[in-house]
Amino acid sequence: MKNWKIANNIQIFILVVLLFSSCNFYETEVPIDLPSPKPKLVVHSTFTPFDLPALVKSFSVSISQNAGVFDTTKMVPISDATVSLFIDGKFDQILKYSSGSGLYWSNFYPNAGIEYSIKVEKEGFETVTTNGTIPPKVAIKNCELTPFAGLNSDNLAFSQLSVTFDDPADQINYYEIMVLGYGQEKDKYRLTTNDKIITSESYYPSPVLMDADLPKRLLFSDRLINGKNHTVEMTFHANQALISGKLYMTPNLLYIAFRSVSKDYYLYYTSLLKHTYNRRSDMLFGIAEPSPVYTNIQNGYGLFAGYAEDTRSFWVDSLKVR
Amino acid sequence: MKQLIILHIICLMAFAANAQNKLIISGFVFDDQTREPLIGAHIFDNHSRIAVQSNEFGFFSLSVPETSAGNFTVSFIGYQPETIALNQVAKEPKTIYLKPGLAIDEVEVSVRKRVDFVQKKEVGTVKIDPKQVRNMPNLFGEVDLIKALQLTPGIQSGGEGKSNLYVRGGSPDQNLMLLDDVPLYYVAHFGGFLSVFNNDAISDVTMIKGGFPARYGTRLSSVLDIRMKNGNMQKISGQGTVGLLSSKISLEGPVIKGKSSFIISARKNIIPILKLADAGILYNFYDINAKLNYTFSENDRIFFSFYNGDDHVGVRNKEKTDKIKLVNDKSTRWGNLLLALRWNHLFSGKLFSNTTLSFTDYKYRNLYNYQYQNDSLKKETRSKITTGIRDFSLKSDFTWYYSPNYEMRFGFASIVHSFIPNNENYKQSITGKASVDSTYLSNINATEASIYSENNFNLKWMSANIGVRLSGYLLKEQAYYSLEPRVLLNLPITRNLALKYSFSKMNQYVHLLSYSGIGMPSDYWMPTTKNVLPETSCQNSLGIYYGFGEGKYEVSIESYHKTMNNLIAFRPGESLTGKLSDWEQTVENNGRGKSIGLEFFLQKLTGKTTGWVGATLSRAERTFKELNQGKNFPFSSDRLFDGSLVVNHEIRKNIVVSATWTYGTGYPVTVASERYVFNDNEYYNSEVYVYGEINGHRMRDFHRLDLGVNFTKQKSWGERTWTISIFNVYNRKNPYFLYMERETIFKRQDQNGGVGIKAIPGDLHLYQKSLFPFFPSFAYSFKF
C-alpha cells in the first residue's frame, strides 16, 4: 500500500512539472521551399436585384490574383483587367474600374431568371470566364425575435430568432440566413441552431467541437424540407454590457437577411466555411484533411453568383438582464 | 472450383497410404503452474524425427509408425522440456504439463530447428511474447503490444503516439484485429497513445502480414490474432500496475480446481490528465477483459470471453443560482463490447474442432445535453448521434490430422453485419411550445459468409499450405462472391536455411470512410453496395530465412508486392453528414493501391540478451481518378526507410534493462502551395489556401531512443517490480503534424483621444508540432 502511494505521488508531481514546463518543446518552425504558382485571376462577385436596402452594391466585381502561400507581397486589386459583361450570352458592356472601391462596376440592375456572364482578360494571365443567375426570391412568411431568451453557459444573454418560409416544391433551393446588427458598429452575429436541416450540413460544427467559432451565415438546401413550410430557429449573442456587476442588453437595430441563393453560391460558401474550420483544426490537432474551396471561375478562383433577399428589421431596447 | 475438389481428392489419396499402421499421439500441452495452454509448443518424435506444434488451444496430434519405439519430447521456450516414453501413451488424448524454467539443451534446440525450418510455413508472420513486451521501455508506464508490433518490419504507426497499424502499405481498416477469434473494430484509447489490449490478460500474439492461410479472411492487409489467457487452474493469483496514465489489476484462479478457471482484468485511468492541466475537459477511459472456461472432459471444453472498453471526453458546465439553473454538457464516447462463446471438441485423436458464437459491437457517440430554467422559461435539448458497427457471427473450424505428412483444416463462418452510419436522436422541450422528439435510424444490415479448406503438406524436401477460401456477401438483392486462393511454400535448402514464398488473394466487404486517413474513432464503417464494390488485394512475398547460433538467432529477408483495388475515399470537401441516403455519391470508389517492400529481421530469441533489429525499405501509393488529377500519390504511411533496434538484457536475475531505438524517413503531408484573398464587400475578408499535390511534401525524419529498467524483488506475498522508463532520451523534436499560422503584429496607433493597439496580420509560417519531449515515467507492479 505504501509503495502504491509513493508511486502515485511521484508520478503526479512529474506529470504536472512536465506538462507545464514543456510548452516550448512543441513548436518548431520548418523551412520550406515551394515553387511559385502559375498566375491565376481571382474573381469575386455576388449580385442581387436592386430594390433592397443598400447593404451591398448591385453589380460589381473584384479582381485580384493568387500568390505563393508564403509570398509576403501585399494582395492588391488588379486595376487594368478587361471585364466584359454578357447578358443571356450577348455582349453588353465593359465594366468600369473604380480606384476608390477597387471594383469593376456597372450601373445596370440585375434581375432573376437571366444568365449573366463575365470574361476577364489581363496580360500574363489565362482568360477566365464564368456565369451565374439570380434564383427566384423566397419570401419570409413570419419572423419572430425574442431579444432575451436566456443565459448561456458563460452567463451571457442570448437572443432567439425564428424564420418561417414556404419552400417551393418544383426545384432544388438553397438558402442563407444572416443576422446583422447596427448598434455601435455594423456586424454579423455568430448563429447557433439545432435545426437538423442546418446541423446536417457538413460545414456546421459538431456540438462537441470545443472552441469552435460558430458560422456568421447559416447555409442550407431544401433536401430535407422540399416543398414544405419550415421554421428555422437559431440563437445568437445579444449586444450586452456589464456595468457595475450588472448585465444589460444594449439598444440595437437588427436586420434579418433571408436569402435564396444559387447552387454556386451555396457550394462556395459552405466549402469556404469547411476550409476555414479545417485550417483551424489543422493547427490544433493536425488531423484535418485539406478542404478545397469551390470555384465556378474557369481557369481561375473565386465566385460569381446571384442571390435574392428578403429582410426584416427589429429594434431591441435596453434591458437589464441580471 | 472443380479443379480444387479434384486436388483435394488427389491429396487425400496420395497421403492415404502413409496413414496406414500409424500410432496417433494426441493431447494438450499446458503450463504446469497455471494450466494455460502453450501455443506453438513443439512435440518431437525422437525415433522418426517427425515434429509438430500445438495449436492455439494447446492441442497437438502426432502420428508415428506403430512400430516406433523410444520416446517423444515436448518443449517450449522458457519451459523445461518433458520426454515421454511411447509405451506410456494411451489411446486417449494425453495432457502434458511443462514446468517453467530456462533450461535450453540440445534436444530443445534441435527440435525447434527441425520444426521451424522444415515444417513452419509461415511467411510474413511475427510472434510477440507478452512477457517481452512487459520489459520494453514505455510511455506513462504503459506497456503496449501494438507499440511493440510497430517496432517490427513492415508495420508503421502513422506517426508518434498513435496506435494505428499500417501494414505493408495498407490502411488501419484493412487489419483484422481478433481477440479470442472475435474482431474488434477500433482498438485505441486516449487518442492512440495506447491500445485496448491489456498485456496482463494476453497469452499469445501473432501478426500475419502476408501469406494468409485460408482460414483467415475479411480484411486485406493483416491479421492480428490475440489470445486471452484462460486463467490459472490451480490457484488464485493476480497482478497489478500503478502507472502514470492508468492503473490495472488482474485476478485469475480456479472455479473448480483442474476443471474450470476464470480471469478478469480491469484498467482505468486514475488521473484526469486534461482536467489536471486545467483544460476544462474531462477524459476517462477503462477496459475490462474477462474469461471463464470449463473442461467437461478430455474431449470437450467451453470458453466464455468478454471485453468492454470505453473512452469518454466531455465538457460540462453547470450553474445554479436562486433564479437560474443551467446545465450544458457536451461529450463524446467510443468503445467496444465483445462477447464470445467457444466450444472445443475432440472427435478423435485426429479431428479437432472449435466453434465460436460471438457478438462484437463498436460505437462512437456524440452527446449534447442543454438545460436552462428560470422563473418563466424551461428549455431542454438533448441530442445523441451514434455511428458504429455490430456483428453477430457463428464460425466453426476443424483440423484433421490425417497423417504425419498431411493435415487438413476446413471450416465455415457467417457474419451478420449491422452498420450504423449515423443514428440520431433529438429531443427538445420549451415552455409554451410543442415538444420535439425525433429519431433517425440509419441501420444497414448485410450478411457475409465463407467456407475454406487448407491443405498442409510436410515432405522431406518441401512443405506447403495450399488452400482456398470462398467468400460471399449479401446486401438486400446485391450479392458478391469471390474465390481466394492461398499458397504458402517452404523450401528448406539446408538444415538452417529455407526459402519461402506465399501468394494471397483477399477480399474485404466492410469499408472505413475516413476524413483524415489516420483512423479516428469518428470514422464511418460502411457496407459494400451495388456501387461500392468489395475491396480486393493480391500479395506475393518471397523470403529467405536462416537460423544460426544453435537456434538462438533467426534472420530473414523478405520482399513483398501488394496491389489493392476498389479502395474508397471521400471526394474532396465531401462528408457523410446529412447525406446517408446517398452516401455513395460522396466517395471515390475506384481507388487503386500498390506497395512494394523489402524487410530485414534479425531476432535473438533466448539467453540473457534478447531482442531484434528490423528494417524496411518500402513504397506505398494510391491512385484515384478524381483525386490529385488522377495522378499517383504517396499513401499517408509511405516511408522509404523504417528501422528499429530492440534490446532486453538481464543484468541480474532481478534487474532487466531495455532499450529501443527507431528511425524512419519522414511521413508525407499535403501542404498549401498558393493562396488568394478576396473582399466580398460585406465586411468579410477571407484568405483561401490552395493545396498542391496530395502528400507532396515530407515531414522531418523521425528517430527516438527509449530506455527502461525493471527492478524486481521477491516478497513473502509474491513479487513486486519498479519500472523506470525514459522516453525520448535525447529529446528529439519529432514531427507530430505540420500546420500553417500567420503571425500577428501589434502596432501602436493614435486613436481619438489616446493611443491604441492595432493587430495586423504578418507573415505566414510553417510549423511542426512535436508531442513528447524527454519524458521519464514510473510504474509499480506486483504479482501474487
Side-chain angles (χ1 to χ4, degrees):
Chain A
M1 179 62 83
K2 181 183 168 186
N3 279 338
W4 295 2
K5 283 187 180 170
I6 293 171
N8 214 27
N9 291 340
I10 291 172
Q11 285 159 91
I12 291 173
F13 172 75
I14 289 173
L15 181 61
V16 169
V17 167
L18 285 169
L19 275 175
F20 289 103
S21 64
S22 309
C23 296
N24 286 336
F25 175 83
Y26 300 122
E27 289 180 5
T28 318
E29 186 167 354
V30 177
I32 183 170
D33 217 358
L34 292 172
S36 298
K38 181 180 170 186
K40 283 192 175 181
L41 292 170
V42 180
V43 174
H44 194 94
S45 174
T46 53
F47 47 92
T48 190
F50 176 66
D51 58 344
L52 292 173
L55 299 174
V56 297
K57 290 191 164 58
S58 60
F59 197 91
S60 57
V61 181
S62 79
I63 308 287
S64 60
Q65 70 173 94
N66 65 340
V69 73
F70 295 107
D71 195 327
T72 54
T73 312
K74 193 179 173 190
M75 307 288 259
V76 294
I78 288 176
S79 58
D80 57 347
T82 305
V83 183
S84 308
L85 171 69
F86 298 80
I87 299 178
D88 276 339
K90 288 183 191 163
F91 173 77
D92 186 72
Q93 59 180 287
I94 303 279
L95 301 184
K96 306 178 198 66
Y97 178 74
S98 160
S99 55
S101 62
L103 300 172
Y104 295 79
W105 64 280
S106 168
N107 57 1
F108 93 99
Y109 306 119
N111 287 301
I114 296 173
E115 184 182 86
Y116 299 97
S117 316
I118 58 169
K119 182 167 80 172
V120 183
E121 296 161 286
K122 175 169 166 60
E123 194 178 332
F125 293 85
E126 221 173 333
T127 300
V128 302
T129 55
T130 181
N131 58 66
T133 55
I134 296 172
K137 176 175 162 179
V138 175
I140 296 173
K141 259 193 109 172
N142 189 31
C143 188
E144 289 179 12
L145 175 74
T146 307
F148 174 65
L151 296 176
N152 64 11
S153 55
D154 297 318
N155 245 356
L156 295 173
F158 64 88
S159 305
Q160 181 152 315
L161 175 72
S162 67
V163 175
T164 306
F165 62 98
D166 288 327
D167 175 66
D170 53 351
Q171 62 205 38
I172 300 174
N173 297 290
Y174 303 92
Y175 300 99
E176 179 181 67
I177 296 177
M178 288 189 290
V179 177
L180 297 96
Y182 285 81
Q184 293 175 341
E185 60 178 25
K186 294 177 184 176
D187 200 5
K188 288 198 203 93
Y189 290 90
R190 295 193 182 277
L191 305 170
T192 182
T193 180
N194 290 316
D195 193 321
K196 195 176 165 177
I197 65 167
I198 293 166
T199 59
S200 65
E201 292 283 341
S202 53
Y203 72 87
Y204 194 81
S206 156
V208 186
L209 190 65
M210 273 73 76
D211 196 30
D213 271 342
L214 292 160
K216 287 183 179 178
R217 39 179 102 213
L218 297 182
L219 288 139
F220 56 98
S221 74
D222 67 351
R223 201 166 45 83
L224 298 177
I225 55 162
N226 189 32
K228 295 180 187 163
N229 172 278
H230 188 75
T231 300
V232 179
E233 291 194 354
M234 69 215 82
T235 59
F236 55 95
H237 273 160
N239 274 23
Q240 54 204 285
L242 196 63
I243 301 169
S244 302
K246 295 184 179 58
L247 186 66
Y248 295 86
M249 288 182 62
T250 55
N252 199 8
L253 175 65
L254 294 180
Y255 274 107
I256 315 303
F258 177 70
R259 292 180 176 179
S260 173
V261 303
S262 68
K263 185 178 178 184
D264 288 326
Y265 185 111
Y266 164 83
L267 290 174
Y268 179 84
Y269 277 107
T270 52
S271 64
L272 181 62
L273 283 164
K274 272 193 288 194
H275 174 83
T276 309
Y277 282 129
N278 273 1
R279 270 168 45 197
R280 184 176 298 118
S281 297
D282 190 42
M283 192 169 77
L284 287 173
F285 307 115
I287 55 172
E289 275 293 283
S291 186
V293 176
Y294 173 83
T295 181
N296 68 340
I297 312 295
Q298 281 83 47
N299 303 321
Y301 299 120
L303 174 69
F304 182 80
Y307 64 91
E309 186 176 272
D310 194 7
T311 62
R312 292 286 188 276
S313 56
F314 295 91
W315 174 253
V316 176
D317 275 317
S318 170
L319 175 70
K320 181 187 164 192
V321 172
R322 61 174 170 87
Chain B
M1 191 63 180
K2 271 188 199 168
Q3 291 91 329
L4 288 162
I5 294 169
I6 292 168
L7 176 64
H8 276 73
I9 295 170
I10 291 171
C11 292
L12 284 169
M13 287 170 63
F15 293 100
N18 237 341
Q20 303 301 323
N21 305 321
K22 294 289 176 188
L23 177 66
I24 309 299
I25 305 165
S26 65
F28 293 88
V29 184
F30 293 122
D31 177 301
D32 181 55
Q33 290 179 353
T34 64
R35 299 299 198 256
E36 289 283 343
L38 296 178
I39 302 169
H42 300 101
I43 300 92
F44 180 67
D45 175 31
N46 294 301
H47 176 71
S48 64
R49 314 296 287 174
I50 294 168
V52 296
Q53 283 182 293
S54 60
N55 71 6
E56 51 270 25
F57 302 99
F59 177 78
F60 71 92
S61 178
L62 174 67
S63 298
V64 299
E66 227 169 21
T67 53
S68 189
N71 50 46
F72 68 96
T73 302
V74 181
S75 67
F76 192 67
I77 290 182
Y79 290 79
Q80 297 171 31
E82 186 85 11
T83 299
I84 299 161
L86 280 167
N87 57 18
Q88 291 176 6
V89 171
K91 284 188 180 169
E92 290 78 34
K94 185 175 179 59
T95 303
I96 298 160
Y97 302 102
L98 296 186
K99 294 183 175 56
L102 293 176
I104 299 167
D105 57 21
E106 276 188 31
V107 172
E108 183 187 351
V109 165
S110 162
V111 164
R112 287 194 62 248
K113 273 181 4 189
R114 177 96 181 129
V115 173
D116 290 351
F117 288 97
V118 174
Q119 294 185 13
K120 194 170 153 185
K121 293 163 279 296
E122 287 92 349
V123 181
T125 299
V126 174
K127 285 188 87 66
I128 294 277
D129 183 356
K131 295 189 193 99
Q132 196 174 26
V133 173
R134 199 169 293 135
N135 287 330
M136 290 168 71
N138 51 72
L139 185 62
F140 300 123
E142 297 289 337
V143 295
D144 190 72
L145 69 93
I146 295 284
K147 297 278 186 277
L149 281 168
Q150 290 168 350
L151 295 170
T152 59
I155 300 176
Q156 312 275 359
S157 65
E160 180 145 65
K162 297 192 172 103
S163 279
N164 297 309
L165 294 177
Y166 292 85
V167 182
R168 291 185 172 176
S171 49
D173 64 309
Q174 293 173 356
N175 305 313
L176 181 64
M177 311 276 207
L178 296 172
L179 184 62
D180 275 358
D181 253 342
V182 185
L184 285 175
Y185 281 91
Y186 188 76
V187 297
H189 281 310
F190 196 43
F193 292 154
L194 68 157
S195 71
V196 302
F197 301 113
N198 184 342
N199 204 59
D200 291 347
I202 290 165
S203 72
D204 190 79
V205 179
T206 303
M207 167 59 114
I208 307 173
K209 305 175 286 185
F212 302 99
R215 60 187 179 272
Y216 294 114
T218 75
R219 300 288 189 276
L220 298 190
S221 287
S222 81
V223 175
L224 179 60
D225 191 347
I226 297 174
R227 302 278 162 176
M228 278 175 59
K229 288 180 184 173
N230 288 339
N232 194 325
M233 279 269 198
Q234 295 293 98
K235 62 175 185 130
I236 297 279
S237 63
Q239 55 185 316
T241 302
V242 177
L244 202 61
L245 183 62
S246 71
S247 287
K248 52 188 177 180
I249 187 151
S250 283
L251 195 65
E252 56 183 296
V255 176
I256 301 171
K257 197 169 178 178
K259 268 185 109 55
S260 173
S261 66
F262 76 95
I263 179 168
I264 180 162
S265 293
R267 176 172 58 168
K268 191 180 180 321
N269 65 306
I270 50 169
I271 303 173
I273 292 188
L274 295 178
K275 197 169 184 187
L276 185 67
D278 200 25
I281 303 165
L282 196 64
Y283 183 88
N284 286 301
F285 72 84
Y286 75 88
D287 52 53
I288 301 173
N289 288 272
K291 194 166 174 180
L292 186 65
N293 74 89
Y294 185 82
T295 305
F296 289 96
S297 66
E298 288 291 345
N299 295 334
D300 291 284
R301 287 185 86 176
I302 60 165
F303 306 83
F304 174 71
S305 304
F306 168 85
Y307 169 83
N308 178 230
D310 217 40
D311 284 67
H312 175 213
V313 183
V315 178
R316 179 162 229 229
N317 291 295
K318 203 172 171 184
E319 190 122 359
K320 194 172 178 184
T321 65
D322 290 338
K323 294 192 176 180
I324 292 164
K325 179 188 165 188
L326 177 71
V327 172
N328 195 350
D329 284 349
K330 299 173 190 173
S331 67
T332 295
R333 303 182 81 115
W334 64 92
N336 295 280
L337 172 65
L338 180 156
L339 300 165
L341 186 64
R342 284 183 301 148
W343 171 40
N344 285 173
H345 179 64
L346 217 53
F347 291 90
S348 69
K350 283 190 162 194
L351 185 59
F352 176 91
S353 78
N354 175 60
T355 300
T356 306
L357 179 66
S358 68
F359 168 80
T360 184
D361 179 78
Y362 168 71
K363 288 238 182 39
Y364 173 87
R365 291 146 284 178
N366 268 339
L367 301 143
Y368 176 62
N369 175 24
Y370 172 80
Q371 294 173 46
Y372 175 81
Q373 187 174 344
N374 62 18
D375 293 336
S376 57
L377 175 73
K378 185 176 177 184
K379 184 175 179 183
E380 191 168 341
T381 302
R382 287 177 192 270
S383 153
K384 181 176 166 185
I385 299 172
T386 306
T387 181
I389 183 168
R390 178 185 297 159
D391 288 352
F392 287 95
S393 167
L394 174 66
K395 59 182 280 204
S396 212
D397 300 285
F398 299 84
T399 308
W400 188 17
Y401 300 91
Y402 188 76
S403 76
N405 299 329
Y406 178 70
E407 176 189 300
M408 185 181 186
R409 293 184 82 145
F410 59 96
F412 70 88
S414 68
I415 310 170
V416 176
H417 297 293
S418 183
F419 297 88
I420 306 169
N422 206 18
N423 285 357
E424 292 177 31
N425 178 257
Y426 177 76
K427 289 181 185 171
Q428 186 178 69
S429 62
I430 303 173
T431 305
K433 293 198 174 178
S435 296
V436 174
D437 187 345
S438 70
T439 299
Y440 174 77
L441 298 176
S442 61
N443 295 45
I444 305 170
N445 293 327
T447 306
E448 195 178 329
S450 59
I451 55 172
Y452 74 89
S453 158
E454 279 178 44
N455 302 280
N456 284 285
F457 309 99
N458 297 310
L459 306 174
K460 280 185 186 156
W461 57 276
M462 185 200 73
S463 57
N465 178 328
I466 298 175
V468 67
R469 185 182 182 89
L470 175 64
S471 66
Y473 174 89
L474 181 67
L475 171 68
K476 295 179 185 170
E477 290 92 35
Q478 189 63 45
Y480 294 96
Y481 71 91
S482 175
L483 213 52
E484 301 169 21
R486 313 283 174 85
V487 174
L488 288 84
L489 296 176
N490 178 45
L491 205 65
I493 298 170
T494 68
R495 280 197 76 189
N496 300 333
L497 182 69
L499 192 66
K500 302 192 188 192
Y501 167 78
S502 74
F503 170 79
S504 304
K505 182 172 184 296
M506 309 290 282
N507 259 33
Q508 182 166 328
Y509 298 106
V510 298
H511 311 276
L512 187 67
L513 266 182
S514 168
Y515 292 110
S516 60
I518 60 168
M520 293 295 291
S522 52
D523 295 337
Y524 298 97
W525 287 96
M526 303 302 288
T528 285
T529 65
K530 186 177 165 189
N531 298 315
V532 179
L533 303 176
E535 296 178 28
T536 62
S537 75
C538 282
Q539 185 178 167
N540 285 278
S541 44
L542 179 67
I544 294 179
Y545 289 70
Y546 180 65
F548 59 98
E550 296 298 314
K552 290 182 190 162
Y553 298 90
E554 277 184 15
V555 63
S556 64
I557 298 174
E558 189 174 322
S559 66
Y560 65 85
H561 177 275
K562 181 158 79 175
T563 56
M564 293 165 275
N565 288 294
N566 301 329
L567 303 179
I568 69 170
F570 274 119
R571 291 199 176 124
E574 284 285 5
S575 74
L576 212 52
T577 312
K579 292 180 186 170
L580 284 165
S581 56
D582 53 0
W583 68 271
E584 291 146 286
Q585 310 306 319
T586 67
V587 301
E588 284 296 315
N589 56 11
N590 54 9
R592 288 178 285 121
K594 182 176 153 189
S595 62
I596 54 172
L598 188 66
E599 296 170 4
F600 169 84
F601 198 32
L602 167 65
Q603 300 179 80
K604 184 172 187 287
L605 303 158
T606 56
K608 292 203 166 201
T609 305
T610 58
W612 67 80
V613 175
T616 310
L617 280 171
S618 66
R619 267 283 173 252
E621 60 185 27
R622 295 287 189 268
T623 313
F624 285 85
K625 207 166 133 193
E626 298 294 330
L627 300 181
N628 210 42
Q629 291 110 40
K631 294 186 284 185
N632 297 350
F633 57 90
F635 184 49
S636 56
S637 71
D638 176 59
R639 222 178 193 184
L640 178 62
F641 177 81
D642 178 68
S644 302
L645 169 68
V646 175
V647 178
N648 287 331
H649 176 67
E650 189 182 299
I651 295 176
R652 292 207 305 258
K653 206 168 170 182
N654 60 336
I655 302 178
V656 176
V657 294
S658 56
T660 62
W661 186 73
T662 60
Y663 178 88
T665 51
Y667 281 116
V669 286
T670 305
V671 170
S673 57
E674 52 185 289
R675 66 184 177 96
Y676 62 86
V677 172
F678 69 92
N679 183 345
D680 68 357
N681 65 38
E682 285 188 352
Y683 317 103
Y684 189 84
N685 285 317
S686 220
E687 184 175 57
V688 175
Y689 293 167
V690 179
Y691 295 94
E693 301 245 332
I694 295 179
N695 291 335
H697 184 71
R698 293 275 166 175
M699 293 199 277
R700 288 170 76 195
D701 289 359
F702 178 106
H703 52 89
R704 194 186 74 223
L705 172 68
D706 306 325
L707 299 173
V709 59
N710 288 290
F711 300 98
T712 303
K713 188 171 183 179
Q714 300 299 323
K715 297 283 200 181
S716 57
W717 46 264
E719 177 185 290
R720 69 102 178 107
T721 302
W722 278 103
T723 300
I724 300 168
S725 283
I726 300 176
F727 193 83
N728 199 3
V729 170
Y730 51 83
N731 209 31
R732 163 79 175 170
K733 289 184 183 176
N734 283 310
Y736 185 42
F737 62 85
L738 299 185
Y739 70 96
M740 290 185 179
E741 190 179 26
R742 192 171 289 286
E743 64 184 24
T744 303
I745 300 169
F746 295 96
K747 277 192 170 174
R748 284 169 57 119
Q749 66 173 22
D750 291 329
Q751 289 175 350
N752 295 336
V755 174
I757 304 286
K758 186 179 176 183
I760 58 172
D763 293 344
L764 187 69
H765 299 273
L766 182 67
Y767 293 99
Q768 165 194 292
K769 264 252 173 49
S770 301
L771 195 56
F772 293 114
F774 172 92
F775 200 105
S777 56
F778 296 82
Y780 174 81
S781 51
F782 59 90
K783 268 189 203 174
F784 61 89

